[in-house]
Amino acid sequence: MNFKNITVAGSGVLGSQIAFQTAFHGYNVSVYDINDAALEKAKERLAGLKDVYANYFKDETKAIAALERFTFSSSLKEAVKDADLIIEAIPELVDIKINFYKELATVAPEKTVFASNSSTMLPSQFAEYTGRPEKFLALHFANEVWKNNTAEVMGHPGTDKQYEDQVIEFAKSISMIPLHILKEQPGYILNSLLVPFLNAGQALLAKGVADPETIDKTWMLATGAPMGPFAILDVVGIQTAYNIVANEAKHNPNAQPIADILKTDFLDKGKTGKESGEGFYKYPNPSYLDPEFLKA
Ligand code: NAD
């Protein structure tokens, strides 16, 4: 493995998980965020993740050892001074990312490979600002990295394949399953499949074709899948689903009735999905998990 020192930029929900997963597998991890308050928050998140990893992997010693491998800095120059790889997990806003890559280009050592964890943007949107387009690509993790261990690896047309290979090796070394995407694709593989699937389920509801339980039941019975679209929507969170469909409605009027249902029947009533205890199903015992659900 070529990489020894990893920098994670942005230590929010995903950045802290990526940092912990990396340190848990023995790497030194430099954590960068914009100021000391954000870094204090990062320390709290990482301490919380120590307990998550200790419980999930039943290995408290290894989880405690991971905590020893972090350094923290709010100076980008300092945070990347030894980095072989930097993984960017800063907010999903184009201007913030452009400014970040412009600054990074001026302070990172020549050897550093840059990887973005962006969910919805493409590496080609930022390549020109990195100063090293051949060493820039996407490395996309899923929330709850320790168990949802996909790592979608996607270059842009100017990425040198040797760095894609190195990032794939790195992903394997931290127990991720690398999924190599051969051509730039908005939404990678997962969201290219999932978003249209969830939209199709919601469109059936909005048109009055069937209720959520019947739609989920059909999918589960016919394909053997453990969840249908509405059970998945509850896990994703109805606020996120609403954001996607409300955005779609700006240029596709067919999406507006779906957005209206999500807002009026769910968000306005505090039903935001599994996290709040209710969405399309009631938790902790949603009906789709009842063994009788598929029999009736
Ligand atoms: P978040 O809001 O939880 O964290 C963002 C972090 O970036 C914060 O710690 C913030 O202080 C920091 N930050 C803000 N401006 C910065 C700057 N200029 N430089 C450095 N750090 C800065 O966001 P998140 O959910 O962790 O998402 C981060 C990235 O990961 C996004 O690109 C998102 O698309 C992607 N992602 C998120 C998820 C998810 O489920 N949340 C899943 C996969 C990928």
Side-chain angles (χ1 to χ4, degrees):
M1 169 46 54
N2 290 346
F3 301 150
K4 289 196 171 53
N5 300 314
I6 313 297
T7 297
V8 176
S11 56
V13 174
L14 254 282
S16 59
Q17 293 180 17
I18 296 165
F20 204 97
Q21 181 78 12
T22 305
F24 193 65
H25 288 88
Y27 288 91
N28 300 322
V29 180
S30 160
V31 176
Y32 166 72
D33 212 305
I34 37 173
N35 54 37
D36 289 344
L39 290 173
E40 283 311 309
K41 184 97 191 97
K43 288 175 191 166
E44 282 168 30
R45 285 184 196 276
L46 294 169
L49 286 167
K50 190 263 292 171
D51 295 334
V52 170
Y53 276 70
N55 289 334
Y56 189 79
F57 295 101
K58 308 208 175 344
D59 194 338
E60 176 107 32
T61 313
K62 193 172 167 187
I64 291 172
L67 280 183
E68 308 282 308
R69 300 196 183 102
F70 295 112
T71 50
F72 298 87
S73 181
S74 58
S75 151
L76 187 57
K77 187 172 184 187
E78 174 67 23
V80 298
K81 69 178 193 302
D82 297 321
D84 299 303
L85 171 69
I86 177 165
I87 304 171
E88 170 268 304
I90 70 172
E92 193 71 348
L93 291 166
V94 177
D95 289 346
I96 289 188
K97 293 210 197 260
I98 288 177
N99 288 334
F100 172 79
Y101 284 113
K102 279 184 179 164
E103 186 186 351
L104 184 63
T106 66
V107 296
E110 198 185 319
K111 66 171 180 174
T112 313
V113 174
F114 299 175
S116 174
N117 181 50
S118 170
S119 291
T120 61
M121 297 169 189
L122 295 172
S124 55
Q125 286 175 260
F126 306 107
E128 66 177 294
Y129 306 106
T130 63
R132 61 191 74 196
E134 74 289 351
K135 288 196 185 102
F136 176 55
L137 71 171
L139 171 60
H140 181 238
F141 294 82
N143 196 10
E144 307 204 333
V145 164
W146 57 93
K147 61 183 167 88
N148 301 331
N149 62 335
T150 53
E152 294 179 290
V153 177
M154 181 173 85
H156 62 93
T159 308
D160 185 330
K161 191 172 172 303
Q162 65 171 302
Y163 301 111
E164 291 184 36
D165 293 342
Q166 288 178 15
V167 169
I168 287 170
E169 284 311 306
F170 164 74
K172 285 185 198 161
S173 76
I174 59 165
S175 291
M176 306 304 293
I177 307 293
L179 304 155
H180 193 190
I181 292 168
L182 305 177
K183 194 174 178 191
E184 266 198 329
Q185 166 67 25
Y188 305 86
I189 294 172
L190 177 62
N191 284 333
S192 297
L193 294 168
L194 186 60
V195 173
F197 172 69
L198 298 179
N199 286 347
Q202 294 172 92
L204 292 173
L205 174 66
K207 282 194 231 162
V209 173
D211 61 64
E213 289 201 343
T214 306
I215 296 168
D216 278 6
K217 202 181 284 184
T218 307
W219 183 254
M220 292 163 74
L221 277 170
T223 67
M227 294 162 106
F230 293 97
I232 296 175
L233 281 164
D234 276 353
V235 173
V236 169
I238 291 173
Q239 183 67 52
T240 302
Y242 173 77
N243 293 347
I244 294 171
V245 81
N247 198 34
E248 170 82 11
K250 287 182 195 157
H251 54 89
N252 173 5
N254 294 334
Q256 192 57 51
I258 302 173
D260 293 344
I261 291 176
L262 296 182
K263 180 156 190 333
T264 314
D265 296 351
F266 293 91
L267 297 181
D268 288 353
K269 293 180 177 162
K271 299 180 189 176
T272 58
K274 186 176 175 186
E275 204 175 55
S276 71
E278 188 168 356
F280 291 100
Y281 294 92
K282 287 198 171 110
Y283 297 84
N285 299 308
S287 59
Y288 74 88
L289 287 180
D290 185 328
E292 295 302 310
F293 184 72
L294 296 181
K295 294 186 185 150

